[in-house]
Amino acid sequence: MTTPLEFSAPTNLSEVNLNPRGKVHPSPTDWRDQTLYFLLPDRFSDGEESKRPLFDRHHPEDWKTLDKVAWMKAGTKFSGGTLKGIESKLDYLKDLGVTTLWVGPVWKQRCDLETYHGYGIQNFLEIDPRFGTRQDLRDLVDAAHERGMYVLLDIIYNHTGNNWFYQDENGQPTDTRSYCYSPAHPVAGWRSQTGDCIANPQSIEDGVWPQEFQNWEWYTRAGKIEHWDADPWENVMHPDVEFRRGDFFDLKDLCLSKDEVLSAVIKVYQYWIALSDCDGFRIDTVKHLPWEASRSFCGAIREYTESIGKENFLLLGEVTGGATTAKTYLDIFGLNLDAILDIGEPPKKLMELVKGFTNPQDFFNQYGGVDELGSHRLAGQYHVSILDDHDMVGRDGKYRVSANNNIPACYEQTAHTVGVQLTTLGIPCIYYGTEQAFDGNQNRHDFSLEPGADLAITIDRYIREVMFGGLFGAFETSSCHFFDPNHPTYLRIAAIARLRDQKSPVGLALRRGRQYLREISVNSRSFFWPTPGQVVGWSRILFTQEVVMALNTNGVESQSAYIGVDSSLHPAGSQITVLYNSAWNDDQLRHPPTSETLTVELYQNRTAVHLNLPPAGMVILA
């Protein structure tokens, strides 16, 4: 039985109740069995899609907004997505093959600022009313659990919102100061609900809450970060480097080296576990946390969750800066993060593999210890595979995988980029809208219509489109929604995800099996490792089960190839079943035929299957 929530949120940490509000939902046995879906609450759904038309992908130009200036400006403001809206789309997500939601930050933001993304917290113990209520959050988690799904909450404890003002050189209030190691910059006062500078918070909308955070000594007050990485001669883990002490632009850095500050944020997020019954945290900006602070936080959260019956609560960290930095925060003994987001180079390699831009071995070699994270990738449980996301860190611009893609097979190519995630090592994560082939990119900005805009600050908006039909809809639209379960990309992702999620030997092999890149043969040539633009084959093997994937990385031409398979598992003359074929029609994608097979041949002294793949086509065999 779930206990209804109290009417108002606590205002002091002393009032926080850490007893679970209802029956505690157990954690997954192994997070490798999950398929994640990341969404921003403001941009996903308001639950009112039935009142708006569905976008017609066959005539996209007919749906473009007539006022692009208004469309661009709408991207910088709250759009109206809610927790109730997310709950209303759980069946849409379950049918896609999603098993775990990663929900962007829902904590209360400043009422006077447009931090729609949720990363500028004003009240750590409350839900932003634009997203809903604490009860709405618990209802969402309960509804997900009823469907066999899990929920990760996106948390921030490196910094708070822009809740107070520095003093500038003339003694006037200012949002930011240049970075300075010492002494700490002077403070002018708290930010009021109208954006004015005041001496003390007068209401729950002023300053920052809970009350314990209204202490100037809890903040580093070092000014904004200007050098986002360590210099080559600096110890990257040193707690005093600039990127660990400075503010995120105007978001104020917390001094986590103080025990009382770290203890406070630990209690804050233990409270949200007790209240929401969530199943894990995605932890923001981990690189900017001192290593010791991260370890202490993770240890305290893990101890609390184990005490209430969540034995495998996931602590997933965002660690920018490459494999070397990421690996320092991973700890296979459970003393720090459980897993990291594989951002930066890996998503770029994934995209370039599927589009035929790079040597396939560049992607598959990541799992063989080429960089410092290689052995962790090989285990599969320590990294979450990301393709698109809300930041696109490490990519040479802000753009989704579907951006600037005009090939006829663009929908299939996008689906199969996710398909590679679903069939290679790691925990796959889909970014909202990718299943509808959203094509957001920074080039949608028109400087002639918005002169003087700071592109470096504003371009994130173009990869954070509204899905439910608000003023900042995808493809430069407004007032139409994009929840189309018949979209070619959605159907293909769903078909592959269903295979991965099976409790059968095939599903287990796709989630936990060893991984091998396969040699190919074309035009009677001897077998060789595939090159850019050719058919790529790979296997997942678990005990006696081999699953074979083949992908045409040429997006405009059909291709044929022999793909090598394991001779002990698939001897010559045996039959191998086609589990997925991207050329199937919509009904076949939903209800795969069971009689389609291929014969394993003895070809050039090895066992292989011969495949004909359309542009960007993909098959899965077992």
Side-chain angles (χ1 to χ4, degrees), residues 105-363:
V106 295
W107 326 116
K108 189 175 184 303
Q109 307 291 290
R110 295 208 59 80
C111 62
D112 58 310
L113 298 176
E114 295 287 347
T115 52
Y116 65 87
H117 43 70
Y119 291 98
I121 300 175
Q122 187 260 341
N123 189 337
F124 281 88
L125 298 179
E126 184 60 285
I127 299 294
D128 193 285
R130 287 162 287 206
F131 299 150
T133 66
R134 288 173 300 134
Q135 185 66 56
D136 291 342
L137 176 61
R138 180 61 195 241
D139 290 345
L140 169 62
V141 175
D142 287 347
H145 288 165
E146 288 169 4
R147 290 167 172 79
M149 303 168 77
Y150 299 95
V151 178
L152 305 181
L153 297 182
D154 201 317
I155 69 166
I156 308 101
Y157 71 95
N158 173 60
H159 56 262
T160 73
N162 182 11
N163 297 316
W164 49 266
F165 294 97
Y166 285 105
Q167 225 180 77
D168 68 13
E169 295 84 349
N170 300 314
Q172 298 301 308
T174 181
D175 287 327
T176 63
R177 291 289 302 269
S178 296
Y179 180 80
C180 177
Y181 177 75
S182 182
H185 288 301
V187 173
W190 297 102
R191 189 183 188 99
S192 76
Q193 60 186 301
T194 56
D196 299 316
C197 184
I198 57 176
N200 295 294
Q202 303 299 312
S203 76
I204 200 71
E205 300 291 343
D206 300 331
V208 63
W209 296 86
Q211 196 166 29
E212 287 84 353
F213 286 79
Q214 297 169 18
N215 181 343
W216 303 123
E217 298 304 314
W218 281 32
Y219 302 89
T220 54
R221 292 176 288 142
K224 63 182 178 181
I225 299 171
E226 293 168 349
H227 299 93
W228 291 86
D229 293 291
D231 291 325
W233 57 85
E234 286 182 317
N235 177 357
V236 72
M237 301 315 300
H238 198 281
D240 290 334
V241 293
E242 179 178 332
F243 65 82
R244 291 222 166 84
R245 298 188 70 254
D247 300 335
F248 259 64
F249 304 102
D250 58 8
L251 304 177
K252 305 305 193 290
D253 187 71
L254 284 165
C255 189
L256 295 172
S257 60
K258 296 180 182 293
D259 290 343
E260 63 270 27
V261 182
L262 186 56
S263 295
V265 295
I266 287 170
K267 191 169 186 179
V268 161
Y269 290 114
Q270 288 171 338
Y271 167 74
W272 284 109
I273 297 168
L275 184 147
S276 72
D277 197 31
C278 65
D279 306 287
F281 288 153
R282 179 271 189 182
I283 306 174
D284 185 54
T285 58
V286 171
K287 183 185 83 169
H288 302 276
L289 299 168
W291 186 87
E292 291 287 346
S294 176
R295 185 181 68 169
S296 297
F297 179 87
C298 292
I301 295 298
R302 190 172 287 111
E303 184 173 312
Y304 172 72
T305 55
E306 290 181 352
S307 76
I308 63 172
K310 286 183 179 285
E311 297 290 340
N312 198 19
F313 190 88
L314 183 66
L315 296 171
L316 168 64
E318 176 209 32
V319 187
T320 58
T324 302
T325 304
K327 189 178 179 182
T328 60
Y329 285 92
L330 277 173
D331 196 315
I332 62 174
F333 299 108
L335 299 178
N336 213 308
L337 298 175
D338 298 312
I340 54 95
L341 294 168
D342 217 356
I343 53 181
E345 278 295 309
K348 184 179 179 182
K349 290 179 184 291
L350 168 61
M351 180 178 64
E352 291 178 343
L353 162 74
V354 177
K355 293 187 175 183
F357 294 162
T358 190
N359 191 318
Q361 292 184 73
D362 290 346
F363 174 78

Side-chain angles (χ1 to χ4, degrees), residues 577-590:
T577 302
V578 179
L579 301 177
Y580 169 80
N581 186 339
S582 60
W584 285 341
N585 62 37
D586 289 2
D587 187 59
Q588 290 173 315
L589 289 168
R590 295 188 188 94

Side-chain angles (χ1 to χ4, degrees), residues 344-345 347-352 355 357 386-405 414 417 431 434 437-445 459-465:
E345 278 295 309
K348 184 179 179 182
K349 290 179 184 291
L350 168 61
M351 180 178 64
E352 291 178 343
K355 293 187 175 183
F357 294 162
I386 286 285
L387 172 60
D388 289 335
D389 68 84
H390 62 320
D391 289 328
M392 307 296 187
V393 173
R395 196 169 291 185
D396 54 350
K398 305 283 187 177
Y399 59 90
R400 288 179 179 258
V401 68
S402 296
N404 307 311
N405 192 345
T414 297
T417 313
Y431 183 46
T434 298
F438 278 13
D439 68 345
N441 69 91
Q442 64 189 48
N443 294 332
R444 290 201 178 277
H445 195 89
I459 57 177
D460 281 346
R461 75 180 100 166
Y462 299 107
I463 52 173
R464 301 171 180 176
E465 309 97 308

Side-chain angles (χ1 to χ4, degrees), residues 73-118:
K73 289 183 177 179
T76 65
K77 303 178 184 299
F78 278 90
S79 296
T82 64
L83 291 166
K84 283 295 186 187
I86 299 171
E87 184 181 347
S88 75
K89 296 298 177 291
L90 288 179
D91 290 334
Y92 164 91
L93 295 173
K94 187 174 178 64
D95 289 345
L96 179 62
V98 173
T99 63
T100 297
L101 301 186
W102 160 12
V103 181
V106 295
W107 326 116
K108 189 175 184 303
Q109 307 291 290
R110 295 208 59 80
C111 62
D112 58 310
L113 298 176
E114 295 287 347
T115 52
Y116 65 87
H117 43 70

